[in-house]
Amino acid sequence: MASFYSLTLILISIFAFSISIANSKTLKRDVKALNEIKASLGWRVVYAWIGDDPCGDGDLPPWSGVTCSTQGDYRVVTELEVYAVSIVGPFPIAVTNLLDLTRLDLHNNKLTGPIPPQIGRLRRLRMLNLRWNKLQDVLPPEIGELKRLTHLSLSFNNFKGEIPRELANLPELRYLYLQENRFTGRVPAELGTLQNLRHLDVGNNHLVGTIRELIRIEGGFPVLRNLYLSYNKMSGAIPTALAHIPKLTYLYLDHNQFSGRIPNAFYKHPFLKELYIEGNAFRSGVNPIGAHKVLELSDADFLV
């Protein structure tokens, strides 16, 4: 009998919650912002965005790619995912009015122009994916205000200028994808202070500097597993300290201007699985010393 009453209470609670969602109104700020976005994106998404309320109005479902949640008496937009639909035009600035967004995914479109500095208003954002667009200009330092960000993917665009040091202000950041752009200058050593950064990919840019400069902060990159520096213009010797990054598993140094020899310490690293070094100016004609059961090297002739 007790279980029957418990089940009844659960069903009543679910019903009441459903009624509250149906009766709650979408915040006017979010309705206005999504309709502005709708007007700017064109026919490719308009056909799936029916009605005036992006969260649905009872008779109509939420707009495709729009996720809402209830906060008090209102519904707010928490996720916007509109990708691979050939959106053409500038980054829709009205997106920055969706202050409750936790996920913004506009990848694989044809967005152009810069990321507006107003992006810093999205303080609850955890995932920002803009890869495979035609975005350009420098990255606004305001991205460093997205304190909850864990995933940032800006790869395969036309961004230029230096990688902003403000990215080091993102304490939760785990994955940073900046490859296939036109970044110049040095990779900020301040990124080494990120205590949660697991993946850093800055390959296929125009970056310079040395690894010694990159890892100059003592105890830096404590949980970094994957480091991709391929196809840049970095130079200098490979310091032994690089092999002291404790969790390093995949290291891509290929197609730069590195020189000297690969330190023996890399053979003893407990996690390192792959090390790519081709396309550099490492000293040749030296055979490896000993054997490493885990390390899978792409060109052993360049190692000591």
Side-chain angles (χ1 to χ4, degrees):
M1 184 65 70
S3 60
F4 173 78
Y5 286 118
S6 299
L7 179 60
T8 301
L9 290 174
I10 292 173
L11 291 175
I12 290 174
S13 299
I14 293 174
F15 179 75
F17 180 72
S18 301
I19 292 295
S20 67
I21 292 178
N23 292 335
S24 59
K25 298 180 179 179
T26 304
L27 199 64
K28 289 183 178 179
R29 176 202 67 199
D30 288 5
V31 173
K32 182 175 184 294
L34 260 299
N35 276 283
E36 289 180 6
I37 296 169
K38 177 181 178 179
S40 70
L41 293 187
W43 66 268
R44 290 186 181 274
V45 294
V46 168
Y47 78 92
W49 286 9
I50 302 172
D52 296 324
D53 191 337
C55 296
D57 60 7
D59 295 326
L60 295 173
W63 291 358
S64 176
V66 176
T67 300
C68 303
S69 65
T70 301
Q71 294 184 5
D73 296 330
Y74 291 92
R75 293 178 298 181
V76 296
V77 177
T78 54
E79 297 182 8
L80 179 60
E81 300 176 280
V82 183
Y83 51 84
V85 289
S86 297
I87 297 171
V88 178
F91 181 95
I93 195 170
V95 166
T96 63
N97 293 325
L98 299 171
L99 302 184
D100 292 287
L101 273 186
T102 61
R103 185 180 184 93
L104 176 59
D105 189 345
L106 302 176
H107 83 269
N108 199 10
N109 285 295
K110 298 179 181 179
L111 294 174
T112 57
I115 296 177
Q118 293 92 327
I119 196 73
R121 302 178 65 206
L122 303 180
R123 302 296 177 87
R124 298 186 179 185
L125 203 61
R126 298 187 63 83
M127 194 280 285
L128 176 59
N129 186 0
L130 301 175
R131 72 178 187 271
W132 286 107
N133 277 284
K134 298 183 179 181
L135 295 166
Q136 56 200 51
D137 214 334
V138 299
L139 292 186
E142 286 80 4
I143 287 183
E145 298 173 9
L146 307 177
K147 304 296 186 182
R148 298 185 184 183
L149 208 62
T150 62
H151 293 66
L152 177 58
S153 181
L154 304 177
S155 52
F156 298 94
N157 280 284
N158 295 309
F159 293 116
K160 65 180 183 178
E162 296 189 352
I163 297 172
R165 286 177 169 80
E166 286 79 3
L167 293 179
N169 298 332
L170 305 175
E172 302 297 324
L173 193 63
R174 298 182 181 183
Y175 299 92
L176 178 56
Y177 300 93
L178 300 177
Q179 72 270 28
E180 296 282 352
N181 280 286
R182 299 178 181 178
F183 290 115
T184 55
R186 289 165 167 76
V187 183
E190 290 83 355
L191 295 179
T193 65
L194 294 173
Q195 298 298 301
N196 293 294
L197 188 63
R198 292 164 169 77
H199 186 107
L200 174 59
D201 192 340
V202 295
N204 288 75
N205 282 287
H206 305 291
L207 298 168
V208 297
T210 67
I211 289 183
R212 193 175 300 279
E213 294 169 331
L214 174 60
I215 62 173
R216 62 181 170 80
I217 297 176
E218 186 175 356
F221 300 106
V223 298
L224 188 68
R225 289 168 170 78
N226 307 322
L227 177 59
Y228 293 77
L229 303 175
S230 306
Y231 289 92
N232 280 290
K233 300 177 182 179
M234 299 183 69
S235 59
I238 306 301
T240 300
L242 181 62
H244 294 163
I245 295 179
K247 302 293 185 181
L248 195 61
T249 307
Y250 297 94
L251 176 59
Y252 289 72
L253 305 175
D254 55 290
H255 298 93
N256 279 278
Q257 299 169 15
F258 295 123
S259 58
R261 296 179 174 178
I262 303 297
N264 292 338
F266 283 93
Y267 287 107
K268 302 175 183 179
H269 198 290
F271 294 105
L272 192 61
K273 292 183 178 180
E274 294 184 6
L275 170 61
Y276 288 80
I277 61 170
E278 65 271 19
N280 283 285
F282 290 117
R283 292 180 62 178
S284 61
V286 180
N287 293 322
I289 294 176
H292 197 295
K293 295 182 180 179
V294 178
L295 193 61
E296 298 173 3
L297 303 174
S298 60
D299 196 338
D301 289 339
F302 290 141
L303 301 181
V304 298

